[in-house]
Amino acid sequence: MRQGFLAAATFAAGLLALSPVHAATAPAPKIAVLDVQAVLSNSQRGQEATKALQQKASDLRTQANDLNDKRKALKDQLDKADGKSSDHDKLLKQFQDADTAFQSFVQEGNQLVEQRRMELLKPIQEELQKVVTQFVKDQHIDILLNKGAGALIASDAFDVTNKVTDAMNKDWAAEQAATPAPAASTKH
């Protein structure tokens, strides 16, 4: 038993002695940091998706404001109406219906915006994955960290966010050039 312990200790000591030699001869890994969120936000496709999403949200907000204005007008009428009048119950029902319609619209609108966001984001994320994979290969990067997720602090010297954003834009431009323009419609 004692011989086994001595053999293991000798082996471990040998490994420790060789480790600095091995570490000195092994090439240092090439490390880079990428702010994925910045690439998604700053790339041309990301900016176009953001504009489309903002337009959809603006359209829905306009409709929600119209429903809310109708609801407020009914609430004002209800507040001014005599609680004992025959119109009060009718106004109360109209207000409740308008309030329900407004609440439902807001909830459905939020779901529509989130669904649209996912629809717009999915192809961009797929393209980013393709571009990052190629970028890492081309740049011979051994370790790519996500800024804010995998790297708490990183020197700007290791940040490749702008380079990846440029690569995304070049890929997008090449994709746009390869895609034929849609035919003009004659329908009005």
Side-chain angles (χ1 to χ4, degrees):
M1 175 94 146
R2 186 175 172 122
Q3 288 176 335
F5 176 73
L6 287 174
T10 304
F11 179 72
L15 284 178
L16 286 176
L18 291 177
S19 291
V21 171
H22 177 68
T25 60
K30 186 172 180 184
I31 300 172
V33 178
L34 176 65
D35 186 342
V36 174
Q37 206 51 47
V39 173
L40 292 174
S41 299
N42 297 330
S43 67
Q44 289 174 335
R45 279 187 85 169
Q47 290 175 356
E48 287 183 6
T50 298
K51 285 179 188 174
L53 196 58
Q54 288 172 343
Q55 182 61 48
K56 180 70 171 175
S58 176
D59 293 346
L60 291 171
R61 252 190 315 276
T62 300
Q63 293 175 35
N65 287 340
D66 291 345
L67 289 172
N68 193 34
D69 290 345
K70 179 180 175 184
R71 189 186 94 181
K72 284 181 182 178
L74 287 169
K75 176 70 169 138
D76 288 344
Q77 289 177 6
L78 184 62
D79 289 344
K80 292 176 185 175
D82 181 14
K84 297 178 184 176
S85 74
S86 61
D87 287 344
H88 186 269
D89 290 341
K90 182 179 172 185
L91 283 172
L92 179 61
K93 174 74 170 121
Q94 288 175 341
F95 170 74
Q96 289 171 338
D97 290 346
D99 188 54
T100 300
F102 172 73
Q103 298 298 333
S104 295
F105 184 83
V106 168
Q107 185 177 10
E108 290 171 12
N110 288 336
Q111 290 171 349
L112 283 171
V113 168
E114 182 58 24
Q115 179 183 358
R116 184 69 177 136
R117 186 183 74 76
M118 296 305 292
E119 289 170 359
L120 291 168
L121 191 57
K122 185 179 179 189
I124 297 170
Q125 287 174 325
E126 290 170 355
E127 179 184 6
L128 178 61
Q129 180 64 42
K130 181 181 83 170
V131 168
V132 166
T133 301
Q134 188 63 46
F135 182 82
V136 166
K137 183 179 175 184
D138 292 347
Q139 299 298 315
H140 307 290
I141 296 171
D142 298 309
I143 300 170
L144 181 64
L145 301 172
N146 185 3
K147 190 174 192 175
L152 295 177
I153 299 174
S155 167
D156 288 342
F158 293 100
D159 194 326
V160 295
T161 302
N162 290 336
K163 292 177 183 177
V164 171
T165 302
D166 291 343
M168 279 277 291
N169 290 338
K170 286 178 186 174
D171 187 70
W172 182 78
E175 186 178 302
Q176 292 299 310
T179 305
S185 176
T186 58
K187 293 182 182 179
H188 292 288

